[in-house]
Amino acid sequence: MNFFKRYKLDSVLLPLIGVGAFLILWLAIAGRVETRKTLDEFGDPVTKTVKTGLSPDLPSPAETWKASKPYLAEPFAKRGELDQGILAFTILSLSLVMQGYLIALAIGTPLGFFLGLSKTFTKAMDPIIQVLRPVSPLAWFPLGLVLFSSVKFIDGGGKTVFGASDAAALFTIAVCSMWPAVMNTAVGVRAVPTDYLNVAKVLKLSRGKTLFKVLLPATLPYMFTGFRLSLGIAWLVIVAVEMLTGRPGVGGFLWQEYNAGSYSRIILCILTIGIVGLVLDRLMSVVESRFKTA
Amino acid sequence: MIDIKAMPPPRVRRNYLELRQLNKTYHSPKGSAVIVNDFNLDIAEGEFVTLIGHSGCGKSTVLSMVAGLTSASAGGMVLAGREIAGPGPDRGVVFQSPSLLPWMTARENVMLGVSQVFYTASAAERLQLAEYYLTVVGLADSMNKRPAELSQGMRQRVGIARAFALSPKMLLLDEPFGMLDSLTRFELQAVLLELWKRQRITALMVTHDVDEALYLSDRIVCMTDGPEAEVGDIVPVPFERPRDRVAVMEHPEYYKLRERLIEFLEVHAHKKRRVSFPAGKATNTEAAA
């Protein structure tokens, strides 16, 4: 281990070993194509290709790479609604996530503040929140469709630009991803040291000043932890929402490729979702650490 | 036994702060706990008074009531002819922990209060005021630092500057040096005394450090142990001002006073129930008269 540490290899080598082991495991369970020469019932020789292995339909890493290449090589290509480059899909998904996420923050942050400030409000709202929090996005989506069934914005050409399914999609993302922002903001407000509040009281700061000069800055670190977790959930929800609506995006593409039987691209989608999720989380961590006080 | 020299000049108001039959009772389903009962004290304008007593005896509760952060259950508090109702910047509070807002620089922390009190002054004047006080407490080079970059002692200097910069009617100090090591404590006591000498702001301080009380105050009010804490004894401190630490400690009265205070504290440390102190009330009226 000293050798590793001396050359700082452990931070490069060990992850590589991990990835390598993962690929080997993948290769081991993936299906292999075998060509068999057999005789049919008439006694004629035929060649048959069969897939064998622990999970015969799972494409191997090499097959996945081959099938994914066109989507990676031209990341912004648009060959059709549901046949675009992987980054084009990512951008479509991200824009939907951002809209839903911003709605979640716009509702969740003030809600969290009220919960943190008022015990009465907390007591009144707690049962509802605890019941709604664990509900899956798959369950919210139909309710969204029902709630927004009359939403329909049509552009000049008679094409629906924003319909019930769009509203339901945003609703689902917002309602699922809101909770970490709500809970962390509430905890943050409750955790504001009494000392700070006493300073505000002694100086007789107005309500607005107390909120913006004391409460908000003191709560920000907690809020951003919540915001980061919320963004992670919003990104999780997008796949479910796109699958249900069939909208173009990473999740919609994934579901379409499953239905089309091109399983290699499912793996491409999964990896994309994972990497984008990681990048979002890291970006939010950077923002979060900037707001850390004391 | 009162030294006339220790008393403030006669033109000042003798009962600048009046505390009358102050009572603090906490009610809970199990019953009510009387923390402070029948607490009476007058403080003259420009006088520095220290409350001493054991931890948890209720001395901080009294200070908190004067600050308006805790409401009194009964009794009256009048400061400069006006009843105290709730907290306000006319009383500058120095908390035990410096209680600076960590996202603001030292200057901004002081400015927060200055802008609140001197809202009619121009921004430049307010800034000048804040910087003046920060300079006086010895932080001329650290005004742009955030509390995290300051040592504990420097933070409390900011806390002191913040309280004085309000030009309050009264200064309330809640064990302001309790969290500091003794060398830093000495330094800050000197800083406090220096600022106080310039402005003579009426001050009420809570401490359990007998030497600190003797060095800083005009009168020391000993509180009996809670529950139902009240004024047990009032000790006038006759040392001349401006004070020098060495001179104070070499004063012939110093050890007598120190012994009297420590004896008081020891009597109350070993008896759970309050012993009746016949001298207590008498001294109180004597000193107020």
Side-chain angles (χ1 to χ4, degrees), chain A residues 195-199 201-206 209 212-215 217-219 293-294, chain B residues 69 87-89 91 93 95 97 99-104 112-113 115-116 148 162 166:
Chain A
D195 283 350
Y196 300 173
L197 297 175
N198 280 345
V199 169
K201 276 190 211 162
V202 166
L203 297 179
K204 241 182 181 167
L205 299 183
S206 64
K209 259 195 172 175
F212 286 107
K213 296 241 165 177
V214 180
L215 272 179
T219 316
T293 44
Chain B
L69 293 171
R91 281 147 285 153
V93 184
F95 299 94
S97 69
S99 304
L100 305 178
L101 302 179
W103 49 89
M104 292 183 180
L112 185 69
S115 304
Q116 198 64 16
R162 177 173 61 185
L166 302 173

Side-chain angles (χ1 to χ4, degrees), chain A residues 177-199:
Chain A
S177 66
M178 186 164 80
W179 306 114
V182 172
M183 300 318 257
N184 278 280
T185 307
V187 168
V189 172
R190 282 185 212 120
V192 174
T194 347
D195 283 350
Y196 300 173
L197 297 175
N198 280 345
V199 169

Side-chain angles (χ1 to χ4, degrees), chain B residues 110-139:
Chain B
V110 177
M111 279 295 279
L112 185 69
V114 171
S115 304
Q116 198 64 16
V117 176
F118 303 101
Y119 50 88
T120 51
S122 73
E125 285 171 319
R126 282 181 271 168
L127 196 65
Q128 206 181 359
L129 195 66
E131 290 184 350
Y132 167 75
Y133 281 99
L134 281 166
T135 310
V136 173
V137 297
L139 291 177

Side-chain angles (χ1 to χ4, degrees), chain B residues 100-213:
Chain B
L100 305 178
L101 302 179
W103 49 89
M104 292 183 180
T105 62
R107 184 193 283 113
E108 286 168 339
N109 265 291
V110 177
M111 279 295 279
L112 185 69
V114 171
S115 304
Q116 198 64 16
V117 176
F118 303 101
Y119 50 88
T120 51
S122 73
E125 285 171 319
R126 282 181 271 168
L127 196 65
Q128 206 181 359
L129 195 66
E131 290 184 350
Y132 167 75
Y133 281 99
L134 281 166
T135 310
V136 173
V137 297
L139 291 177
D141 299 329
S142 309
M143 294 189 201
N144 287 321
K145 287 189 180 156
R146 285 173 207 278
E149 302 167 79
L150 300 172
S151 68
Q152 190 76 11
M154 286 162 103
R155 283 181 217 164
Q156 197 56 291
R157 281 171 197 254
V158 181
I160 291 171
R162 177 173 61 185
F164 272 94
L166 302 173
S167 295
K169 288 179 186 161
M170 196 167 175
L171 209 59
L172 301 169
L173 306 119
D174 188 4
E175 294 186 36
F177 312 126
M179 288 165 89
L180 306 175
D181 62 89
S182 50
L183 279 178
T184 318
R185 195 182 308 156
F186 284 176
E187 273 174 37
L188 264 89
Q189 285 166 358
V191 166
L192 174 67
L193 213 53
E194 173 64 27
L195 260 172
W196 185 81
K197 189 180 79 189
R198 294 182 190 210
Q199 286 169 306
R200 282 266 172 171
I201 298 176
T202 314
L204 179 62
M205 181 173 81
V206 159
T207 186
H208 42 229
D209 182 339
V210 171
D211 295 304
E212 179 172 288

Side-chain angles (χ1 to χ4, degrees), chain B residues 1 3 214 238-240 245-259:
Chain B
M1 190 197 74
D3 191 333
L214 282 169
F239 313 132
E240 276 164 42
R245 190 185 305 277
V246 180
V248 163
M249 289 177 84
E250 282 169 358
H251 197 281
E253 285 284 303
Y254 186 81
Y255 278 93
K256 278 187 218 159
L257 290 171
R258 195 172 188 276
E259 214 146 284

